[in-house]
Amino acid sequence: MALRILCFELNKDLCILLLSSLVCMGNFHRSIWHGTFELLVVLKSDSCSAHLIDGDGTFNDTGLEQLIKEVKLGECGLSYAIVSIMGPQSSEQYDQSCKDGKRRSQTTKGIWMARCAGIEPCTLVMDLEGTDGRERGEDDTAFEKQSALFALAVSDIVLINMWCHDIGREQAANKPLLKTVFQVMMRLFSPRKTTLMFVIRDKTRTPLENLEPVLREDIQKIWDSVPKPEAHKETPLSDFFNVEVVALSSYEEKEEQFKDQVASLRQRFFHSITPGGLAGDRRGVVPASGFSFSAQEIWKVIKENKDLDLPAHKVMVATVRCEEIANEKYGSFVANEKWCQIEEAAESGPVSGFGKKLSAILNISLSEYDAEAIYFDEGVRSAKRQQFEEKLLQLVQPAHQSMLSHIRSGTLEKFKEAFDKALNAGDGFSLAAQTCTQSYMAQFDEWHADAVIEQANWDTSKARDKLRRDIDAHIASVHAAKLSELTSSFEAKLSEALSGPVEALLDGANSGTWAAIKKLLRHETALAVAGFSNAISGFDMDGQSKDKLIASLENYARGVVEAKAREESGRVLIRMKDRFSMLFSHDSDSMPRIWTGKEDIRAITKTARSASLKLLSVMVAIRLDDDVDNIETTLSSALMDTKNNAAVKDRSIITFDPLASSSWEKIPSSRTLITPVQCKSLWRQFRTETEYTVTQAISAQEAHKRNNNWLPPPWAIVALVVLGFNEFMTLLRNPLYLGVIFVGFLLIKALWVQLDISGEFRNGALPGLLSLSSKFLPTIMNLLKRLAEEGQKPATADSQRNATKSFQNGSSPLSDSSSSPSSSSASSGVISPENGTEYSNTLKDD
């Protein structure tokens, strides 16, 4: 393995042992003795190294990752340096496997990497394969160019070993190496400035001051001879490289001086990345955590023989690494226990301190990202940080939305409770709505501020607007409900205050009915409007809305009256018959009439019908306005005028019927309750159904007259006196006949009382005879039975005296029997539907 002065600390005892071994081995090349770093240091057993790229060009990514972990390169950020060593074969390598030491051979295969022990900051050294080895042949320069390009792309310092005797020589061994370095530099787009340190080996007595100008002249000639793109035709070498020249004496001839020079050179690598240090331009350096990925990608591009765009490569490495860091931190955030607790709690209800807690967790994740990605390209780092932050915010946004939803719904519920409480306490509606709205919107703002996430710039005004709309909607619904409740309450009061009185007024309809109804309507409406206006004064309504509600209430009151009038108009026939019956069957003192024969039934009938017609005229139309109509006159002339009726019966006379129409003059259809045609039909039905009552009254009157007239006609009385004179004289001559006649009188009187003959004949002769024929025999049997019972009783003086006294008073003992409870409704003169009377629909004239 190659031995490096920059990689390993000096181990004096081990060096002496190695040198002694080499001397004992015999012949070995003098150049190794005099010029290499490797003879001065030995690889420590605990040093870290890796075969980065083998001889076939295979990149050892596993070995590099292991090396980076061992040296903890990922923690260094930008505080690290990469040094590459290249040069002719055996200028810096020594193959320990060549035990005989008889020939020069290639000691490094591919590229090795190791850490320089004891040098700060962390410095990694890459040892490149020799450039003039015969193992690959003269034509196989592909790997040489690839490794040189790789070294320039990743290194801060490139050490080039040169033999002192090659300076100034046209065929020097280092000339192909320099050409290779300059040629591959052209394949780097915008390369960063690299330090080229030429180490002159086995320096002769020629002073360095004389050697350095010659070396720089040779370097410039090589630079000028290398083909360049048009953009760099005139670009000087100093724009690409910082050229440093150092010289080392021959170890064989000047050992102590060689050691001092080596020690001095080693010191230059301490703090090489500080301003003014050995390292060149550090602007394009890749952060240590991305070095492994960067090196792999660079070697991949080089192997594909593509031009290497270092700025683009830097961006690519930064993109990949920043994404990896962001994904790692995102996973850590998702698994964060505190976040999981907050997310779970936010689903079920509001979380106290939600914004501060979540902002703190987000800050930790973002800070960790910043700490790891700080050394990557600023544009990429910022863009990926923004994406990472947006990704985190997208993750927490549902929880934040849940919080806002809980806050909004909770605020709305509390507002509803407070608003209802204020209204129940008697506060004005508008004042309560304004106070509660301001209070709970401020409460929402306070709770919302507690839920705000510092990193988020979300527009949460929608949640606030939604709450305000919900509050306004609730206020509007309560407003409508309260107004509806108030309106319904006053409408119910109006309905109660108007329905009963209007019904009573229409029941007793007369000329002043509608005037009384209008007065009642105005009075009750005025009271209701005053109370309603006072009740809605706290609603802070505009005048137009208030007037609209009051007008609606007034219209409702009028509608109640009209509805009640329409309802009563449907029962007008019943009302007319009731009024007719009341006036016809009762006298002026409201006492039932007894048809004695003295009453003028025709006049009473006309009066009752006129009153019924008056009721009909009142019910035909709604008269709540001040309009004047002639409906009553029209009805009276058409229905009650006897002359008009006679003309109608006389078909030879052509007359106009004022009721042959479907509307009233000056009365709109909206106010019409009963049309003229309907009035005519109702009147016809009314007369038909009341005709029987009149007929019954006339019959009762005639029956009463018959019952109260028992004397025969005068001519019959004269005939009895003339023809019965002889019989009367016979009775006077023989008193015994008087006794028989008296006994017969008593028997007849008893039968008269028992059979109630006068009562039976009140309903007519035929019904009376039929009734008497069925009762006569039972009555005779009853009388005989009672006489037999009286005869079996012991005769006493008291009973004889009572019997004598009874005979003297012209009565019979048999008259104690109860009379039959037979009655007739005709005697009272009142005919009602309970008498079984059926109403007829046939039109009859008076």
Side-chain angles (χ1 to χ4, degrees):
M1 180 178 285
L3 307 177
R4 294 286 184 275
I5 188 172
L6 297 178
C7 299
F8 319 111
E9 291 183 341
L10 181 64
N11 190 319
K12 185 175 181 180
D13 296 336
L14 196 55
C15 284
I16 294 173
L17 178 61
L18 177 60
L19 293 175
S20 300
S21 301
L22 293 174
V23 172
C24 296
M25 291 167 59
N27 292 328
F28 59 91
H29 198 276
R30 185 175 178 273
S31 64
I32 300 175
W33 233 175
H34 290 288
T36 62
F37 294 146
E38 290 75 17
L39 297 178
L40 302 178
V41 296
V42 178
L43 178 65
K44 285 188 173 182
S45 61
D46 60 346
S47 296
C48 302
S49 63
H51 197 176
L52 185 62
I53 301 174
D54 62 17
D56 297 329
T58 303
F59 195 93
N60 184 13
D61 53 346
T62 304
L64 179 58
E65 291 289 345
Q66 184 64 29
L67 174 63
I68 289 175
K69 289 181 180 180
E70 290 178 358
V71 302
K72 299 181 179 179
L73 183 65
E75 302 176 2
C76 296
L78 296 179
S79 298
Y80 76 100
I82 304 296
V83 180
S84 297
I85 302 176
M86 63 176 65
Q89 180 175 297
S90 300
S91 65
E92 53 181 301
Q93 293 93 1
Y94 177 73
D95 188 359
Q96 288 182 324
S97 65
C98 183
K99 300 291 184 179
D100 57 3
K102 291 183 179 181
R103 60 183 178 87
R104 294 176 64 186
S105 62
Q106 194 173 40
T107 59
T108 302
K109 294 288 186 180
I111 301 175
W112 282 79
M113 175 173 278
R115 179 182 179 181
C116 296
I119 295 181
E120 294 295 337
C122 179
T123 302
L124 299 179
V125 176
M126 293 193 305
D127 183 14
L128 276 65
E129 182 179 308
T131 59
D132 59 351
R134 65 174 180 167
E135 285 78 359
R136 289 190 180 270
E138 294 182 0
D139 297 331
D140 190 8
T141 60
F143 184 80
E144 176 185 333
K145 291 182 179 181
Q146 290 173 353
S147 60
L149 181 58
F150 180 75
L152 288 174
V154 302
S155 302
D156 300 294
I157 305 169
V158 178
L159 269 65
I160 302 178
N161 285 318
M162 298 186 63
W163 300 112
C164 183
H165 56 76
D166 283 342
I167 297 176
R169 292 173 56 192
E170 190 68 25
Q171 302 298 326
N174 65 323
K175 198 167 187 179
L177 175 62
L178 289 177
K179 285 184 179 181
T180 299
V181 170
F182 294 155
Q183 286 174 358
V184 299
M185 179 60 72
M186 294 300 101
R187 293 178 60 187
L188 296 176
F189 296 105
S190 301
R192 61 192 177 107
K193 205 168 185 179
T194 306
T195 298
L196 291 181
M197 178 174 282
F198 291 90
V199 182
I200 301 174
R201 309 296 298 277
D202 293 350
K203 177 179 159 305
T204 60
R205 294 181 180 180
T206 303
L208 180 61
E209 291 79 6
N210 295 334
L211 294 174
E212 184 174 352
V214 178
L215 177 59
R216 290 183 180 274
E217 183 179 353
D218 290 342
I219 294 172
Q220 187 64 46
K221 288 180 181 180
I222 297 171
W223 172 257
D224 294 338
S225 65
V226 173
K228 306 177 187 65
E230 289 297 327
H232 297 292
K233 284 287 186 182
E234 304 299 329
T235 304
L237 177 66
S238 59
D239 288 353
F240 288 90
F241 300 102
N242 289 326
V243 179
E244 298 281 343
V245 180
V246 297
L248 296 177
S249 299
S250 173
Y251 178 80
E252 181 181 357
E253 297 177 359
K254 300 176 181 180
E255 180 180 354
E256 293 300 328
Q257 187 178 0
F258 178 82
K259 292 180 179 179
D260 293 341
Q261 290 172 347
V262 167
S264 176
L265 179 59
R266 179 181 173 84
Q267 288 298 320
R268 296 188 64 181
F269 286 89
F270 281 87
H271 306 293
S272 59
I273 64 174
T274 58
L278 191 59
D281 185 7
R282 295 283 295 173
R283 289 174 297 176
V285 66
V286 176
S289 62
F291 175 76
S292 175
F293 175 76
S294 175
Q296 295 179 51
E297 291 298 319
I298 289 175
W299 182 250
K300 180 180 178 181
V301 173
I302 293 173
K303 285 290 289 182
E304 293 174 355
N305 199 27
K306 297 179 181 178
D307 291 339
L308 185 61
D309 188 349
L310 288 183
H313 173 76
K314 177 185 175 183
V315 171
M316 183 268 294
V317 173
T319 301
V320 173
R321 278 298 299 149
C322 289
E323 285 182 354
E324 290 177 351
I325 296 171
N327 291 335
E328 179 185 350
K329 300 308 173 186
Y330 181 81
S332 299
F333 181 88
V334 171
N336 187 286
E337 184 178 354
K338 293 182 179 179
W339 155 243
C340 294
Q341 293 176 353
I342 292 175
E343 183 182 26
E344 183 179 357
E347 292 180 357
S348 57
V351 179
S352 178
F354 175 86
K356 293 181 179 179
K357 293 177 181 178
L358 199 52
S359 297
I361 301 175
L362 289 171
N363 277 331
I364 292 174
S365 296
L366 293 172
S367 299
E368 291 176 352
Y369 170 86
D370 292 338
E372 294 191 25
I374 188 172
Y375 300 113
F376 291 100
D377 181 81
E378 182 179 359
V380 175
R381 182 181 74 242
S382 299
K384 295 301 177 182
R385 187 187 193 278
Q386 184 177 0
Q387 293 178 6
F388 174 50
E389 186 175 356
E390 289 176 355
K391 191 175 180 181
L392 289 177
L393 292 177
Q394 288 178 359
L395 177 65
V396 304
Q397 189 173 23
H400 183 259
Q401 292 296 333
S402 297
M403 273 294 298
L404 290 183
S405 178
H406 292 315
I407 292 174
R408 181 180 57 79
S409 59
T411 304
L412 181 61
E413 291 302 321
K414 291 184 179 295
F415 167 81
K416 291 179 179 179
E417 294 176 3
F419 187 48
D420 292 342
K421 186 176 181 181
L423 292 178
N424 294 333
D427 295 346
F429 185 90
S430 299
L431 178 62
Q434 182 179 3
T435 303
C436 292
T437 300
Q438 292 177 352
S439 174
Y440 283 93
M441 289 304 296
Q443 185 70 55
F444 173 81
D445 293 337
E446 180 181 346
W447 290 343
H448 172 262
D450 184 61
V452 169
I453 300 174
E454 297 176 1
Q455 295 80 2
N457 190 24
W458 295 322
D459 182 12
T460 57
S461 60
K462 292 183 179 179
R464 193 179 194 279
D465 295 342
K466 180 68 167 58
L467 174 63
R468 186 55 189 262
R469 289 196 300 272
D470 291 342
I471 289 177
D472 292 342
H474 179 69
I475 292 174
S477 65
V478 175
H479 184 273
K482 290 294 183 181
L483 284 180
S484 177
E485 182 180 345
L486 283 174
T487 303
S488 299
S489 175
F490 279 92
E491 287 178 352
K493 292 179 180 178
L494 273 174
S495 180
E496 182 180 357
L498 291 174
S499 297
V502 169
E503 182 177 356
L505 288 171
L506 291 176
D507 186 32
N510 52 48
S511 300
T513 296
W514 283 108
I517 291 176
K518 285 191 289 185
K519 182 178 180 181
L520 174 67
L521 176 62
R522 292 193 187 99
H523 178 263
E524 295 297 336
T525 302
L527 291 178
V529 167
F532 185 72
S533 299
N534 185 50
I536 64 174
S537 61
F539 285 81
D540 194 19
M541 300 173 62
D542 57 89
Q544 184 177 1
S545 299
K546 186 176 180 180
D547 293 342
K548 186 177 180 181
L549 289 174
I550 292 176
S552 176
L553 187 63
E554 292 174 345
N555 292 334
Y556 178 82
R558 185 183 180 98
V560 170
V561 174
E562 292 181 355
K564 180 55 67 174
R566 294 183 187 280
E567 179 184 348
E568 292 300 317
S569 67
R571 297 196 291 264
V572 65
L573 182 60
I574 298 175
R575 299 288 189 190
M576 291 169 65
K577 290 191 295 182
D578 290 345
R579 176 166 293 190
F580 178 84
S581 296
M582 177 61 66
L583 295 177
F584 185 80
S585 301
H586 295 76
D587 57 18
S588 59
D589 296 328
S590 299
M591 296 298 292
R593 290 184 187 274
I594 298 176
W595 303 104
T596 62
K598 300 178 181 180
E599 296 84 1
D600 187 355
I601 294 180
R602 182 179 296 276
I604 295 173
T605 301
K606 185 175 182 179
T607 302
R609 286 178 176 175
S610 297
S612 297
L613 185 64
K614 180 67 176 180
L615 186 147
L616 178 62
S617 66
V618 171
M619 297 296 297
V620 296
I622 298 173
R623 300 179 180 87
L624 294 177
D625 299 323
D626 296 330
D627 299 337
V628 179
D629 58 70
N630 57 353
I631 294 176
E632 184 177 359
T633 304
T634 302
L635 288 175
S636 179
S637 62
L639 301 177
M640 293 295 294
D641 192 352
T642 56
K643 294 182 180 180
N644 187 33
N645 292 334
V648 171
K649 292 181 180 180
D650 188 358
R651 303 196 178 189
S652 61
I653 302 175
I654 300 176
T655 59
F656 172 73
D657 187 358
L659 299 183
S661 175
S662 60
S663 61
W664 297 102
E665 185 180 357
K666 299 181 181 180
I667 301 295
S669 59
S670 59
R671 289 165 47 197
T672 300
L673 299 177
I674 305 172
T675 63
V677 174
Q678 291 173 335
C679 286
K680 189 173 183 179
S681 176
L682 284 171
W683 185 254
R684 185 184 299 116
Q685 186 175 355
F686 165 75
R687 291 193 56 171
T688 300
E689 295 182 5
T690 58
E691 191 73 29
Y692 182 74
T693 303
V694 177
T695 302
Q696 287 294 91
I698 294 173
S699 298
Q701 193 176 50
E702 292 177 353
H704 187 273
K705 290 179 179 178
R706 289 195 300 269
N707 292 336
N708 292 331
N709 190 9
W710 295 100
L711 293 176
W715 62 268
I717 296 174
V718 173
L720 287 175
V721 171
V722 173
L723 297 177
F725 180 78
N726 294 331
E727 285 77 7
F728 179 73
M729 292 304 293
T730 301
L731 290 175
L732 290 178
R733 293 188 187 100
N734 190 356
L736 183 60
Y737 288 146
L738 290 177
V740 174
I741 292 172
F742 181 71
V743 173
F745 170 76
L746 292 179
L747 290 174
I748 293 172
K749 180 65 175 177
L751 288 174
W752 185 278
V753 173
Q754 290 292 325
L755 293 176
D756 190 18
I757 294 175
S758 60
E760 293 294 342
F761 280 98
R762 286 175 184 172
N763 295 324
L766 182 60
L769 291 174
L770 292 174
S771 178
L772 289 175
S773 64
S774 62
K775 294 166 61 177
F776 181 76
L777 185 59
T779 303
I780 294 297
M781 297 301 294
N782 187 29
L783 286 175
L784 294 176
K785 182 180 179 181
R786 294 191 66 179
L787 286 174
E789 290 176 355
E790 289 293 333
Q792 292 176 0
K793 292 181 180 180
T796 61
D798 293 334
S799 61
Q800 289 178 355
R801 281 196 298 269
N802 291 335
T804 305
K805 188 176 182 180
S806 297
F807 277 106
Q808 292 175 354
N809 291 333
S811 61
S812 174
L814 300 178
S815 62
D816 294 336
S817 299
S818 299
S819 62
S820 299
S822 175
S823 62
S824 174
S825 60
S827 62
S828 63
V830 180
I831 307 299
S832 63
E834 288 75 4
N835 295 327
T837 305
E838 255 183 339
Y839 289 100
S840 172
N841 292 327
T842 306
L843 177 63
K844 294 183 180 180
D845 295 330
D846 184 11

Short mmCIF file of all heavy atoms in Angstrom, two decimals, residues 274-293:
data_model
loop_
_atom_site.label_atom_id
_atom_site.label_comp_id
_atom_site.label_asym_id
_atom_site.label_seq_id
_atom_site.Cartn_x
_atom_site.Cartn_y
_atom_site.Cartn_z
N THR A 274 -8.76 27.70 5.57
CA THR A 274 -9.00 29.05 6.07
C THR A 274 -8.60 30.06 5.01
O THR A 274 -7.81 29.76 4.11
CB THR A 274 -8.21 29.30 7.36
OG1 THR A 274 -6.82 29.08 7.09
CG2 THR A 274 -8.65 28.35 8.47
N PRO A 275 -9.17 31.28 5.08
CA PRO A 275 -8.78 32.31 4.09
C PRO A 275 -7.27 32.50 4.06
O PRO A 275 -6.63 32.67 5.11
CB PRO A 275 -9.50 33.56 4.58
CG PRO A 275 -10.68 33.05 5.33
CD PRO A 275 -10.21 31.79 5.99
N GLY A 276 -6.68 32.46 2.88
CA GLY A 276 -5.24 32.56 2.74
C GLY A 276 -4.53 31.24 2.89
O GLY A 276 -3.29 31.17 2.80
N GLY A 277 -5.31 30.16 3.13
CA GLY A 277 -4.72 28.84 3.29
C GLY A 277 -4.32 28.24 1.95
O GLY A 277 -4.45 28.85 0.89
N LEU A 278 -3.83 27.01 2.04
CA LEU A 278 -3.31 26.34 0.85
C LEU A 278 -4.41 25.99 -0.14
O LEU A 278 -4.16 25.97 -1.35
CB LEU A 278 -2.55 25.07 1.28
CG LEU A 278 -1.71 24.38 0.21
CD1 LEU A 278 -0.64 25.34 -0.33
CD2 LEU A 278 -1.05 23.13 0.79
N ALA A 279 -5.61 25.69 0.37
CA ALA A 279 -6.71 25.32 -0.53
C ALA A 279 -7.12 26.51 -1.39
O ALA A 279 -6.98 27.67 -1.00
CB ALA A 279 -7.89 24.82 0.27
N GLY A 280 -7.61 26.23 -2.55
CA GLY A 280 -8.00 27.28 -3.47
C GLY A 280 -9.43 27.76 -3.23
O GLY A 280 -9.85 27.96 -2.09
N ASP A 281 -10.17 27.91 -4.32
CA ASP A 281 -11.54 28.42 -4.26
C ASP A 281 -12.44 27.40 -3.56
O ASP A 281 -12.53 26.25 -3.98
CB ASP A 281 -12.04 28.67 -5.68
CG ASP A 281 -13.42 29.30 -5.68
OD1 ASP A 281 -13.91 29.65 -4.59
OD2 ASP A 281 -13.99 29.44 -6.77
N ARG A 282 -13.12 27.82 -2.48
CA ARG A 282 -13.98 26.91 -1.71
C ARG A 282 -15.46 27.14 -2.00
O ARG A 282 -16.32 26.54 -1.36
CB ARG A 282 -13.75 27.15 -0.20
CG ARG A 282 -12.37 26.80 0.28
CD ARG A 282 -12.21 25.32 0.44
NE ARG A 282 -13.08 24.79 1.47
CZ ARG A 282 -13.22 23.49 1.72
NH1 ARG A 282 -12.57 22.61 1.00
NH2 ARG A 282 -14.04 23.08 2.67
N ARG A 283 -15.77 27.98 -2.97
CA ARG A 283 -17.16 28.31 -3.21
C ARG A 283 -17.97 27.13 -3.75
O ARG A 283 -19.14 27.02 -3.52
CB ARG A 283 -17.28 29.49 -4.19
CG ARG A 283 -16.87 30.81 -3.59
CD ARG A 283 -16.87 31.89 -4.62
NE ARG A 283 -15.88 31.62 -5.67
CZ ARG A 283 -15.73 32.39 -6.76
NH1 ARG A 283 -16.50 33.44 -6.93
NH2 ARG A 283 -14.82 32.09 -7.67
N GLY A 284 -17.33 26.27 -4.47
CA GLY A 284 -18.06 25.15 -5.05
C GLY A 284 -17.92 23.85 -4.28
O GLY A 284 -18.31 22.80 -4.79
N VAL A 285 -17.41 23.92 -3.07
CA VAL A 285 -17.19 22.70 -2.31
C VAL A 285 -18.52 22.06 -1.92
O VAL A 285 -19.49 22.74 -1.62
CB VAL A 285 -16.34 22.99 -1.06
CG1 VAL A 285 -17.10 23.86 -0.09
CG2 VAL A 285 -15.91 21.69 -0.39
N VAL A 286 -18.56 20.74 -1.97
CA VAL A 286 -19.75 19.98 -1.59
C VAL A 286 -19.72 19.72 -0.09
O VAL A 286 -18.67 19.33 0.44
CB VAL A 286 -19.81 18.65 -2.37
CG1 VAL A 286 -20.99 17.81 -1.91
CG2 VAL A 286 -19.89 18.91 -3.86
N PRO A 287 -20.83 19.92 0.63
CA PRO A 287 -20.84 19.60 2.07
C PRO A 287 -20.42 18.15 2.31
O PRO A 287 -20.66 17.27 1.49
CB PRO A 287 -22.28 19.86 2.47
CG PRO A 287 -22.78 20.86 1.48
CD PRO A 287 -22.09 20.53 0.20
N ALA A 288 -19.81 17.96 3.47
CA ALA A 288 -19.24 16.64 3.77
C ALA A 288 -20.28 15.53 3.70
O ALA A 288 -19.98 14.41 3.26
CB ALA A 288 -18.59 16.67 5.15
N SER A 289 -21.53 15.81 4.12
CA SER A 289 -22.55 14.76 4.10
C SER A 289 -22.92 14.33 2.69
O SER A 289 -23.47 13.24 2.49
CB SER A 289 -23.80 15.24 4.84
OG SER A 289 -24.36 16.37 4.19
N GLY A 290 -22.62 15.16 1.70
CA GLY A 290 -22.93 14.81 0.32
C GLY A 290 -21.72 14.41 -0.49
O GLY A 290 -21.82 14.21 -1.71
N PHE A 291 -20.57 14.29 0.17
CA PHE A 291 -19.35 13.98 -0.59
C PHE A 291 -19.44 12.61 -1.25
O PHE A 291 -19.04 12.43 -2.41
CB PHE A 291 -18.12 14.05 0.33
CG PHE A 291 -16.85 13.64 -0.36
CD1 PHE A 291 -16.23 14.48 -1.25
CD2 PHE A 291 -16.29 12.38 -0.14
CE1 PHE A 291 -15.06 14.10 -1.92
CE2 PHE A 291 -15.14 11.99 -0.79
CZ PHE A 291 -14.51 12.85 -1.68
N SER A 292 -19.95 11.62 -0.53
CA SER A 292 -20.00 10.26 -1.08
C SER A 292 -20.86 10.22 -2.33
O SER A 292 -20.45 9.69 -3.37
CB SER A 292 -20.56 9.30 -0.03
OG SER A 292 -20.73 8.00 -0.58
N PHE A 293 -22.06 10.79 -2.26
CA PHE A 293 -22.95 10.80 -3.42
C PHE A 293 -22.33 11.61 -4.56
O PHE A 293 -22.39 11.22 -5.72
CB PHE A 293 -24.30 11.38 -3.01
CG PHE A 293 -25.25 11.54 -4.16
CD1 PHE A 293 -25.90 10.45 -4.70
CD2 PHE A 293 -25.49 12.79 -4.72
CE1 PHE A 293 -26.77 10.59 -5.77
CE2 PHE A 293 -26.36 12.94 -5.77
CZ PHE A 293 -27.01 11.85 -6.30
#
